[in-house]
């Protein structure tokens, strides 16, 4: 526990002893446990605010005794206000910023992870999962970065994380690509520029109603493990240097 929060807890403890309850050895531990740093949005000028819901530590008959109180600021606490049953504590902003910065430098990559919310949970995070018939673009990069970011956080929290980047090489859309390749495709162009050529074929095939009607039948053959259909599927994947990826 930080020096700032410890001093704030004792300040609240003194107030409660004066106005609401008798001395209780467990009370200070309850205060320290229940006093939370208030979350504020990044645009707010208010920070270093702590809150304490008195209903969590005081009996109903004691709450009525704590309607008003006097408070003197000190080096650690600028103000304490009562909002219904909640105490709003404004900590010393300079000390708060100093503690945060010192904690970041001291704990480094462990900052913010002293008390993980849960441990040993199984978490699956899917990344960009692009279609093999289309080139990658900025959207795939964005979702990959986000997936990696979330994976790092969950791993730091002690979760068992499985990261998946499934490359879309299955489904009716593949039937469209395969049937379209018979009409618009070229093995020479596939060797030269596989992704570009597959995209060109896919775009043309989607504009051909006859191909689209045959695509479902072609994909059904793939699901039935038809050797010729699966041979083309394997060729397209290898030509684009793509395969399904599962990283643990």
């Amino acid at each position: 526990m930080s020096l700032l929060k410890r001093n704030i807890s004792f300040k609240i403890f003194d107030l409660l002893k004066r106005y609401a309850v008798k001395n209780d050895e467990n009370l200070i531990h309850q205060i320290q446990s229940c006093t939370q740093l208030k979350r504020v949005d990044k645009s707010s000028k208010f920070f270093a605010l702590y809150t304490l819901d008195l209903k969590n530590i005081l009996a109903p008959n004691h709450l009525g005794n704590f309607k008003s109180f006097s408070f003197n600021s000190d080096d650690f606490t600028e103000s304490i206000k009562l909002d219904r049953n909640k105490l709003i504590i404004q900590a010393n902003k300079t000390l708060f910023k100093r503690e945060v910065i010192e904690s970041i430098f001291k704990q480094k990559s462990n900052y913010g992870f002293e008390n993980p919310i849960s441990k040993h949970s199984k978490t699956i995070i899917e990344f960009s999962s692009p279609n093999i018939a289309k080139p990658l673009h900025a959207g795939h990069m964005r979702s990959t970065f986000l997936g990696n970011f979330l994976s790092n956080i969950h791993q730091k929290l002690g979760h068992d994380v499985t990261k998946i980047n499934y490359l879309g090489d299955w489904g009716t859309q593949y039937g469209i690509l395969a049937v379209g390749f018979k009409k618009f495709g070229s093995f020479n162009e596939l060797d030269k520029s596989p992704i570009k050529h597959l995209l060109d074929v896919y775009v043309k095939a989607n504009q051909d109603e006859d191909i689209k009607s045959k695509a479902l039948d072609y994909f059904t053959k793939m699901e039935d493990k038809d050797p010729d259909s699966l041979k083309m599927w394997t060729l397209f994947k290898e030509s684009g240097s793509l395969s399904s990826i599962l990283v643990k």
Side-chain angles (χ1 to χ4, degrees):
M1 180 183 299
S2 71
L3 177 64
L4 185 59
K5 184 175 179 179
R6 185 180 297 111
N7 278 274
I8 288 174
S9 298
F10 277 105
K11 175 68 71 174
I12 297 171
F13 179 65
D14 290 336
L15 279 175
L16 294 182
K17 282 197 304 180
R18 264 191 287 155
Y19 293 96
V21 296
K22 295 180 180 180
N23 193 2
D24 184 343
E25 293 181 359
N26 295 322
L27 183 59
I28 185 62
H29 300 295
Q30 290 179 293
I31 293 172
Q32 291 173 347
S33 175
C34 295
T35 301
Q36 303 294 327
L37 184 64
K38 183 178 175 63
R39 297 180 181 273
V40 294
D41 64 88
K42 62 183 180 180
S43 63
S44 175
K45 64 180 180 179
F46 302 104
F47 65 97
L49 287 174
Y50 289 85
T51 63
L52 174 61
D53 191 338
L54 295 175
K55 290 187 294 184
N56 292 330
I57 61 173
L58 295 181
N61 58 315
H62 289 153
L63 285 173
N65 300 332
F66 203 74
K67 293 298 183 182
S68 62
F69 58 88
S70 60
F71 165 77
N72 296 321
S73 61
D74 55 25
D75 293 339
F76 299 95
T77 311
E78 294 181 2
S79 66
I80 298 180
K81 298 178 181 178
L82 182 64
D83 182 9
R84 297 191 179 127
N85 291 319
K86 287 187 178 181
L87 287 180
I88 310 297
I89 306 100
Q90 176 64 69
N92 183 300
K93 298 184 182 69
T94 301
L95 287 179
F96 180 83
K97 288 186 285 187
R98 183 185 302 163
E99 277 201 351
V100 170
I101 293 172
E102 288 178 350
S103 296
I104 292 172
F105 277 99
K106 182 179 180 179
Q107 300 175 31
K108 297 181 180 178
S109 61
N110 290 321
Y111 178 76
F113 294 98
E114 300 94 334
N115 299 302
I117 297 173
S118 60
K119 294 182 179 180
H120 311 302
S121 298
K122 290 187 178 295
T123 304
I124 297 176
I125 297 180
E126 183 179 357
F127 286 38
S128 54
S129 298
N131 189 323
I132 67 165
K134 300 178 182 180
L136 296 174
H137 54 75
H140 295 107
M141 183 183 298
R142 176 179 179 273
S143 56
T144 298
F145 288 162
L146 290 173
N148 192 56
F149 179 79
L150 290 172
S151 298
N152 290 340
I153 291 177
H154 282 279
Q155 286 177 327
K156 195 70 177 180
L157 289 170
H159 296 182
D160 180 11
V161 178
T162 298
K163 296 178 281 187
I164 298 176
N165 203 17
Y166 175 78
L167 305 187
D169 56 13
W170 200 256
T172 306
Q173 74 273 9
Y174 179 81
I176 294 174
L177 178 63
V179 177
F181 191 83
K182 293 180 179 179
K183 184 172 183 180
F184 303 111
S186 163
F187 287 104
N188 289 332
E189 292 298 321
L190 185 65
D191 289 337
K192 292 178 184 178
S193 182
I195 297 298
K196 181 179 183 302
H197 187 55
L198 288 175
L199 176 62
D200 291 341
V201 170
Y202 187 79
V203 171
K204 292 176 182 178
N206 263 292
Q207 297 171 349
D208 191 315
E209 293 300 325
D210 183 52
I211 289 176
K212 292 169 70 174
S213 65
K214 295 177 180 178
L216 184 57
D217 292 335
Y218 189 96
F219 180 62
T220 300
K221 292 180 181 179
M222 289 177 57
E223 290 188 307
D224 292 337
K225 297 183 170 37
D226 174 66
D228 291 335
S229 300
L230 293 177
K231 184 178 179 180
M232 287 295 292
W233 171 68
T234 302
L235 173 64
F236 289 168
K237 288 204 303 175
E238 292 178 349
S239 297
S241 299
L242 296 173
S243 61
S244 295
I245 299 174
L246 175 63
V247 182
K248 181 156 191 228

